[in-house]
Amino acid sequence: MASGKRILIVGGVAGGASCAARARRLSEEAEIIMFEKGPFVSFANCGLPFHIGDVIEKEEALMVASPQLFKERFNVDVRVNSEVVSIDRRNSEIAVKDLSSGETYTEKYDALVLSPGAAPVRLPIPGIDLPGVFTLRNIPDTRRIREWVSANGSNRALVVGGGFIGLEMTENLVKRGLTVTIVEAQSHVMPALDPEMVSPVHSELKRCGVSLRLGESVTGFQSMPDGSIRAGLASGGEEQADIVIVCVGVRPETKLAREAGLEIGELGGIRVDSRMRTSDPAIWAVGDAVEVRDFITGGWTLIPLAGPANRQGRVAADVILGRDREFRGVQGTAVCGVFDVTVASTGLSEKTLKRLGLWKQDYEKIYLHPGHHALYYPGARTISLKLIFSKKDGRIIGCQAAGKEGVEKRVDVISMAIQSNRTVFDLEEAELCYAPQYGSAKDPVNMAGMIAANVLRGDSSIAQWDEIASAAPFVLDVRDVKEFGKGHVEQAVNIPLDQLRTRMNEVPGDRDVWAYCLVGQRSYYAMRLLSQNGFNVKSISGGYRTFLAAKGGK
Amino acid sequence: MASGKRILIVGGVAGGASCAARARRLSEEAEIIMFEKGPFVSFANCGLPFHIGDVIEKEEALMVASPQLFKERFNVDVRVNSEVVSIDRRNSEIAVKDLSSGETYTEKYDALVLSPGAAPVRLPIPGIDLPGVFTLRNIPDTRRIREWVSANGSNRALVVGGGFIGLEMTENLVKRGLTVTIVEAQSHVMPALDPEMVSPVHSELKRCGVSLRLGESVTGFQSMPDGSIRAGLASGGEEQADIVIVCVGVRPETKLAREAGLEIGELGGIRVDSRMRTSDPAIWAVGDAVEVRDFITGGWTLIPLAGPANRQGRVAADVILGRDREFRGVQGTAVCGVFDVTVASTGLSEKTLKRLGLWKQDYEKIYLHPGHHALYYPGARTISLKLIFSKKDGRIIGCQAAGKEGVEKRVDVISMAIQSNRTVFDLEEAELCYAPQYGSAKDPVNMAGMIAANVLRGDSSIAQWDEIASAAPFVLDVRDVKEFGKGHVEQAVNIPLDQLRTRMNEVPGDRDVWAYCLVGQRSYYAMRLLSQNGFNVKSISGGYRTFLAAKGGK
């Protein structure tokens, strides 16, 4: 067990800090030194936007562990403001620049762990370096943004990029009293998700006074005489703001690894094996800087998330100290709160499936909109859920969900199912907590499984809104007359479900019939009824709600 | 697919109603008749206590589907107030008593489905039939209780039995303004759970003004001249109340099945196979009246829960209509809210393990008390979680959790893991939703898995509070001096973790050392540190919080 190894760790957040603490727990004799370029280690990266919004009031709350605690508790030598500038692999030595003194010194290692993280992408456009234009990565960035907002009495913010961090920044700037505009190059925010699943976020942003400029990009920034910043837009328009936050993604920090000749993957991350070892057997790498295997596709992927980073740090420590541990890969489970709306996902999106050319004709998708708890109990909120699965064997490929309550719970359960290589048939049979305040006897997870299983067993024939234009079917709306009156698909004919048995003669027998209702349940019943009476009928998955979401997601 | 089968269903709630609707979806040609002894079908059983508390204000909210809807939507002939009094298996015929007219008639079946449910146990004690002494099963019971409370201006309620329904009744009676006393024969409420996990419920009940009489039972009831009820207690004391609700469990309704000569299991439920078929191949049974297989032990069990009942109804319909479907068994996932506290569990409790003599020396248990979301984000609430797993292979046997937020989410995830035959190593690697409002980079589920995996890999040597008296170790409290000062285990010696490396000489090398802290994390670090320095040391699982909980659970 005991080992006098000298373990050097480059980077003191998430993966690096986890690795250091784990290594010490495994070996009292190891010598462990952790180098951090910045002034802080082990801070709560994911909390930075919330400190800007004063939701997390005190900066010290973000400090998970201080250098002193690392010393006293773990006997880890933490050196902040210390940039590792080069690796001499031949001599197992790194060069460290003390940023306070400017001096450079070397340290020998038995094992070296790289946890340099990922840096915010800086757009190559004019004015990106102007005062008032920020990116967000660490505590100093956070301080600068807070100070700018206070010092300049900023009222208008421009957030460039509508991904998770852009949205968290937006919410927090609104909470600070700013008016926010988001510019997003894609047709919808949260570009990692499928457009129809993001519709509730668009609505929520608008409800909260946020302006959206979608399918738009910034071409440059200019300082104006009044101290504000003018952003030129690709469409020819412009936006004025007192502060700009650029959140257009992150890029693995690989300079050190590259210069040391370590293998870099095609996606630009440090290449590691399942034991987090780089192409040099004495060097490990963890966290946002590495490419890891996608658990579902088996391919390489970049997933800058704290959970996997921490687990990778543990794996590296275990392997360095002689244990055989492997990192299993990632499935991309993530959640983002946008004011009162939560969006979560796990596994692959349909977008990603198409981009990678995976499953092609062999995947199916279903939509549902169940309540987050029993509908008969007050306060039930709708969860909109999309499940993607293999047509061949029912294996779950991905899930996305949005709503105000209970969203991430269902995604977590489905994430565990994906990790366990489970199918939609297993979701159907899941035995989950039920009391009316918490769920339903048929939980949304069960419902998703039942709907998908019905499709795979041939009990349910479904159609998708995105195929309706090319299929040109007879569209049957089986909702109540009142519901139909409030809005419906243009070409639809209304026969309420409960009249369908007696009005079946109104349905054409020589055409494809596509039935829909509000969410897909009544149209499923209608499909069962009509198909058994010889009609060529499908139920449109997700119903009118998904129809509206598909419009709103654009 | 089509089938002109005549399917008769006895019982119109949960399992019966699910079976009827599913059968119709599978076959338009089947003739389906559903008989219900009471006046309502398909009502929300689990919502009844909340209607008593006016949380669910309108009774109609509890009506999931009316006979009219069953007729129009599913072409199911629903006959309420119709008691099926006997089965003539030889002639495939049932006798039905119309409770409105008093007349009895017969109906032939091709397939018969029994879904009679379970009836509240009526204590065999004097006065159990007095006015003002109630049990709760259905809408008429609910009405009677509501009317009694209103008509008599009841102020004091006595709830006999502290199980899930007793606790839901308690909360709702308090919400109606009554003062409630619970009499529970066991030493703690929620007798299905382990005592130390129920401690937060005891505290919450006391906080909300509920009186607890534990380890106590009622010997009889008397009507008093002022209209109140006096309950005599086994200890010799008494309780006065204006209304009494007896919630001491339910018993399968098997009279009809017994009289028809169908096989009854040892636990008193109707015996069925995995296709929900009784000992008569033309008769199925589903729901609270049947014994099903425990997914974990493989043994028979009675689990009166709505989720399994619904799924069993679907399985029966599928099998009757020619499909090969099996019910997988139950794992006993359940949740109960008690004012602001949520308690949830899945799999087996330690109590049950001991009662059944399963796993014996081969199971291990761990306790943890993580925050429901990141501690650095405001509002984090503690979840107390107990995980029971196999020492041999890490298979998850059971989980119980209590707290104010995020409790049932973790139990649902672990429930899915159990269903998938997963181990603690899979919990360790679970990739769950993380943003600071929702969880932690190491989610409570991960933490549970990591702690358990550390034990199984030999990295963590743990001890339990319930063994401390017999082991008589040197007890080391590694919390801060301040924490120690506020309360500690009597015989403990305090050396704060961060001083341990320099004060190791104060720890005896010739004794068993058991270390504890608040929740078990620092004592784990201490255990790692000391064990690598040659001490014979264990970390007490769950720390001081579990120590207090074990006291409070009694």
Side-chain angles (χ1 to χ4, degrees):
Chain A
M1 170 81 60
S3 156
K5 278 193 174 161
R6 193 160 213 263
I7 304 171
L8 305 188
I9 299 171
V10 183
V13 192
S18 289
C19 183
R22 175 76 176 171
R24 172 59 69 225
R25 290 196 297 270
L26 295 181
S27 168
E28 271 295 303
E29 297 184 8
E31 185 181 1
I32 306 170
I33 311 175
M34 187 162 78
F35 303 90
E36 168 58 42
K37 192 164 61 172
F40 304 101
V41 290
S42 200
F43 60 88
N45 233 322
C46 308
L48 302 179
F50 301 93
H51 180 45
I52 291 169
D54 274 342
V55 173
I56 297 172
E57 285 182 35
K58 300 214 163 121
E59 186 185 275
E60 67 197 42
L62 298 172
M63 305 301 175
V64 177
S66 65
Q68 190 194 348
L69 184 133
F70 266 102
K71 185 70 206 166
E72 289 177 353
R73 184 160 296 176
F74 297 112
N75 190 24
V76 169
D77 179 1
V78 172
R79 304 190 190 164
V80 295
N81 299 314
S82 298
E83 184 176 2
V84 176
V85 290
S86 65
I87 306 171
D88 176 352
R89 290 165 52 193
R90 207 175 166 127
N91 293 307
S92 300
E93 198 174 87
I94 58 172
V96 185
K97 184 174 183 185
D98 181 332
L99 298 178
S100 320
S101 68
E103 280 168 32
T104 298
Y105 60 97
T106 60
E107 293 283 359
K108 291 267 182 194
Y109 62 80
D110 295 312
L112 178 65
V113 181
L114 306 179
S115 179
V121 171
R122 283 186 84 73
L123 292 172
I125 55 177
I128 190 73
D129 293 318
L130 282 179
V133 179
F134 298 92
T135 56
L136 176 65
R137 181 185 186 181
N138 51 33
I139 300 271
D141 293 337
T142 309
R143 285 185 184 166
R144 280 190 283 270
I145 293 171
R146 286 175 60 89
E147 279 158 19
W148 181 273
V149 170
S150 303
N152 298 282
S154 303
N155 291 315
R156 299 161 303 170
L158 179 65
V159 172
V160 183
F164 284 23
I165 298 183
L167 293 173
E168 287 179 347
M169 277 306 309
T170 296
E171 176 175 340
N172 280 287
L173 289 167
V174 169
K175 285 189 175 157
R176 280 286 292 249
L178 281 78
T179 304
V180 181
T181 296
I182 299 175
V183 172
E184 164 59 51
Q186 303 275 321
S187 64
H188 58 93
V189 299
M190 292 193 173
L193 275 72
D194 293 329
E196 74 280 15
M197 298 310 295
V198 174
S199 174
V201 179
H202 287 175
S203 308
E204 183 71 356
L205 288 169
K206 284 170 200 162
R207 185 184 74 80
C208 297
V210 176
S211 300
L212 286 175
R213 303 206 62 158
L214 303 171
E216 179 65 274
S217 42
V218 175
T219 52
F221 301 106
Q222 269 187 292
S223 278
M224 302 302 284
D226 66 351
S228 71
I229 299 152
R230 197 184 75 91
L233 301 177
S235 66
E238 61 172 59
E239 283 287 336
Q240 299 275 348
D242 304 314
I243 183 168
V244 176
I245 318 278
V246 179
C247 313
V248 291
V250 296
R251 190 171 288 152
E253 291 263 32
T254 54
K255 185 164 175 285
L256 192 62
R258 263 178 218 278
E259 289 176 358
L262 298 177
E263 190 183 345
I264 304 294
E266 279 173 28
L267 304 172
I270 302 171
R271 174 58 44 89
V272 290
D273 65 13
S274 61
R275 291 173 180 79
M276 308 314 296
R277 207 187 289 253
T278 67
S279 55
D280 181 326
I283 305 179
W284 283 255
V286 301
D288 295 0
V290 307
E291 289 184 16
V292 289
R293 291 287 183 185
D294 184 298
F295 178 80
I296 300 169
T297 67
W300 293 106
T301 186
L302 287 170
I303 300 265
L305 290 172
N310 284 340
R311 292 198 298 283
Q312 290 162 17
R314 288 167 60 89
V315 168
D318 281 14
V319 173
I320 289 168
L321 290 161
R323 281 136 200 266
D324 190 24
R325 282 289 296 282
E326 291 187 78
F327 183 69
R328 297 184 178 182
V330 293
Q331 55 192 70
T333 307
V335 62
C336 186
V338 183
F339 298 97
D340 293 348
V341 167
T342 297
V343 180
S345 68
T346 185
L348 304 179
S349 67
E350 193 176 1
K351 237 181 185 176
T352 304
L353 282 186
K354 285 182 174 158
R355 181 168 54 80
L356 299 177
L358 294 169
W359 272 276
K360 299 192 185 209
Q361 306 306 312
D362 286 334
Y363 78 87
E364 185 55 279
K365 60 184 173 182
I366 54 132
Y367 298 92
L368 60 159
H369 306 273
H372 88 285
H373 65 42
L375 296 178
Y376 65 80
Y377 190 89
R381 302 294 200 138
T382 298
I383 298 176
S384 290
L385 196 148
K386 176 181 188 176
L387 186 72
I388 305 174
F389 52 97
S390 163
K391 272 192 209 174
K392 284 187 289 192
D393 53 14
R395 188 180 168 199
I396 308 158
I397 297 170
C399 170
Q400 296 163 63
K404 296 199 172 176
E405 297 283 346
V407 171
E408 85 285 3
K409 174 164 90 168
R410 275 65 188 207
V411 171
D412 274 352
V413 172
I414 292 174
S415 164
M416 176 53 81
I418 290 179
Q419 184 194 333
S420 309
N421 286 308
R422 298 280 104 182
T423 67
V424 300
F425 304 107
D426 298 301
L427 301 187
E428 187 181 24
E429 300 295 334
E431 189 179 313
L432 303 170
C433 287
Y434 166 51
Q437 319 96 298
Y438 302 97
S440 293
K442 288 174 190 154
D443 190 86
V445 170
N446 297 129
M447 290 298 298
M450 287 173 180
I451 293 168
N454 279 334
V455 172
L456 293 182
R457 291 196 188 101
D459 292 333
S460 179
S461 182
I462 60 167
Q464 306 289 350
W465 288 113
D466 56 15
E467 301 161 345
I468 201 164
S470 56
F474 176 84
V475 182
L476 177 64
D477 184 323
V478 298
R479 295 176 300 160
D480 294 346
V481 174
K482 220 193 237 173
E483 292 174 272
F484 184 80
K486 285 184 190 157
H488 58 82
V489 175
E490 204 179 345
Q491 67 269 46
V493 172
N494 181 224
I495 306 178
L497 172 62
D498 296 346
Q499 302 172 13
L500 194 55
R501 271 195 190 76
T502 53
R503 293 175 59 186
M504 227 179 286
N505 59 326
E506 298 173 40
V507 181
D510 56 351
R511 288 184 65 185
D512 286 343
V513 178
W514 287 19
Y516 76 89
C517 59
L518 183 63
V519 297
Q521 188 166 31
R522 283 172 288 175
S523 61
Y524 163 57
Y525 298 161
M527 184 272 300
R528 290 300 309 163
L529 172 56
L530 291 172
S531 70
Q532 292 184 65
N533 281 282
F535 291 90
N536 192 2
V537 58
K538 292 181 175 184
S539 164
I540 307 180
S541 193
Y544 196 59
R545 283 223 170 115
T546 293
F547 172 80
L548 294 177
K551 285 210 301 188
K554 291 283 158 60
Chain B
M1 168 81 59
S3 155
K5 278 194 175 160
R6 195 163 211 260
I7 304 170
L8 306 188
I9 298 171
V10 182
V13 193
S18 288
C19 183
R22 176 75 177 174
R24 173 57 71 223
R25 290 198 296 272
L26 296 180
S27 168
E28 270 295 303
E29 296 182 10
E31 186 181 358
I32 306 171
I33 311 176
M34 187 161 78
F35 302 91
E36 169 56 44
K37 193 162 62 171
F40 304 101
V41 291
S42 200
F43 60 88
N45 233 321
C46 307
L48 301 179
F50 302 92
H51 181 43
I52 290 169
D54 276 342
V55 174
I56 298 172
E57 285 181 35
K58 298 218 164 118
E59 186 185 274
E60 66 198 43
L62 298 171
M63 306 298 175
V64 177
S66 64
Q68 190 195 347
L69 183 134
F70 266 102
K71 185 71 206 165
E72 289 177 356
R73 183 160 296 178
F74 296 113
N75 191 24
V76 169
D77 180 0
V78 172
R79 302 188 191 166
V80 294
N81 300 313
S82 298
E83 183 177 3
V84 175
V85 290
S86 66
I87 306 170
D88 177 352
R89 289 163 55 191
R90 207 175 166 128
N91 292 306
S92 299
E93 198 174 87
I94 59 171
V96 185
K97 185 174 182 184
D98 180 333
L99 298 177
S100 320
S101 68
E103 279 167 32
T104 299
Y105 60 95
T106 61
E107 291 285 359
K108 289 267 183 195
Y109 62 80
D110 295 313
L112 178 65
V113 180
L114 305 180
S115 178
V121 170
R122 283 185 84 74
L123 292 172
I125 56 174
I128 190 74
D129 292 320
L130 283 177
V133 179
F134 298 92
T135 56
L136 176 67
R137 182 185 187 182
N138 52 34
I139 300 274
D141 293 337
T142 308
R143 285 185 182 166
R144 280 190 284 269
I145 293 170
R146 286 175 60 89
E147 280 158 18
W148 180 273
V149 170
S150 303
N152 298 281
S154 304
N155 291 315
R156 299 161 303 170
L158 179 65
V159 172
V160 183
F164 284 23
I165 298 184
L167 293 174
E168 288 179 347
M169 277 306 311
T170 296
E171 176 174 342
N172 280 286
L173 289 167
V174 169
K175 285 189 174 158
R176 280 288 291 250
L178 281 78
T179 304
V180 181
T181 297
I182 299 176
V183 172
E184 165 58 50
Q186 304 274 321
S187 64
H188 60 93
V189 299
M190 295 192 171
L193 275 72
D194 293 329
E196 74 279 16
M197 298 310 294
V198 174
S199 174
V201 179
H202 287 174
S203 308
E204 183 70 356
L205 288 168
K206 283 170 201 162
R207 186 183 73 82
C208 297
V210 175
S211 302
L212 286 176
R213 304 206 60 159
L214 302 171
E216 179 64 275
S217 43
V218 175
T219 53
F221 300 106
Q222 269 186 293
S223 277
M224 303 302 284
D226 67 349
S228 71
I229 299 153
R230 196 182 78 89
L233 302 177
S235 66
E238 61 173 57
E239 282 286 336
Q240 299 275 347
D242 304 315
I243 184 169
V244 176
I245 317 278
V246 179
C247 313
V248 291
V250 296
R251 190 170 287 150
E253 292 262 31
T254 54
K255 185 165 176 283
L256 192 62
R258 263 178 217 278
E259 289 177 357
L262 298 176
E263 190 182 345
I264 303 294
E266 280 173 27
L267 304 172
I270 302 171
R271 174 60 43 91
V272 291
D273 65 14
S274 62
R275 291 171 181 80
M276 306 315 295
R277 208 186 287 254
T278 68
S279 55
D280 181 326
I283 304 179
W284 284 255
V286 301
D288 296 358
V290 306
E291 289 183 15
V292 288
R293 291 287 183 186
D294 184 299
F295 178 79
I296 300 169
T297 68
W300 294 106
T301 186
L302 287 169
I303 300 266
L305 291 172
N310 284 341
R311 293 198 298 282
Q312 291 162 16
R314 287 167 60 90
V315 168
D318 281 13
V319 174
I320 290 167
L321 290 160
R323 282 137 199 266
D324 190 25
R325 282 291 296 282
E326 291 188 77
F327 183 70
R328 297 183 178 184
V330 292
Q331 55 192 68
T333 308
V335 63
C336 185
V338 182
F339 299 97
D340 293 347
V341 167
T342 297
V343 180
S345 68
T346 185
L348 304 180
S349 66
E350 193 176 0
K351 236 182 186 176
T352 303
L353 282 186
K354 286 184 173 158
R355 181 169 54 80
L356 299 177
L358 294 168
W359 272 276
K360 301 191 184 206
Q361 305 308 314
D362 286 335
Y363 77 86
E364 186 54 278
K365 60 183 174 183
I366 54 131
Y367 299 91
L368 60 159
H369 306 274
H372 89 286
H373 65 42
L375 296 178
Y376 65 79
Y377 190 89
R381 302 295 201 136
T382 297
I383 298 177
S384 291
L385 196 148
K386 176 181 188 175
L387 186 72
I388 304 174
F389 53 97
S390 163
K391 274 192 210 173
K392 282 186 291 192
D393 53 13
R395 189 181 167 198
I396 307 159
I397 297 171
C399 169
Q400 297 162 63
K404 296 199 171 177
E405 296 284 345
V407 171
E408 84 286 3
K409 174 164 91 169
R410 275 64 187 208
V411 171
D412 275 353
V413 171
I414 293 176
S415 165
M416 176 54 83
I418 290 179
Q419 183 194 333
S420 308
N421 287 308
R422 297 281 105 181
T423 67
V424 299
F425 304 107
D426 299 300
L427 300 187
E428 187 181 23
E429 299 296 334
E431 190 179 313
L432 303 170
C433 288
Y434 166 52
Q437 320 95 301
Y438 301 98
S440 293
K442 290 174 188 153
D443 190 86
V445 170
N446 297 129
M447 289 299 298
M450 287 172 181
I451 293 169
N454 279 335
V455 172
L456 292 182
R457 292 196 188 103
D459 291 333
S460 178
S461 183
I462 59 167
Q464 305 290 349
W465 288 113
D466 56 15
E467 301 161 345
I468 200 166
S470 56
F474 176 84
V475 182
L476 177 65
D477 185 323
V478 298
R479 294 176 300 160
D480 293 346
V481 175
K482 217 192 237 176
E483 292 174 272
F484 184 79
K486 285 185 191 158
H488 58 82
V489 175
E490 204 179 343
Q491 66 270 47
V493 172
N494 182 223
I495 306 177
L497 173 63
D498 295 347
Q499 303 172 13
L500 195 55
R501 269 193 192 78
T502 52
R503 293 176 60 187
M504 229 179 285
N505 58 327
E506 298 172 39
V507 181
D510 56 350
R511 287 184 66 184
D512 286 343
V513 178
W514 287 19
Y516 76 89
C517 60
L518 183 62
V519 296
Q521 191 167 28
R522 282 172 288 175
S523 61
Y524 162 59
Y525 297 160
M527 185 271 300
R528 289 301 308 164
L529 171 56
L530 292 173
S531 69
Q532 291 184 66
N533 281 282
F535 291 89
N536 192 4
V537 57
K538 293 181 177 186
S539 162
I540 306 179
S541 191
Y544 196 59
R545 283 224 170 112
T546 293
F547 173 79
L548 294 177
K551 285 210 301 189
K554 292 286 159 59

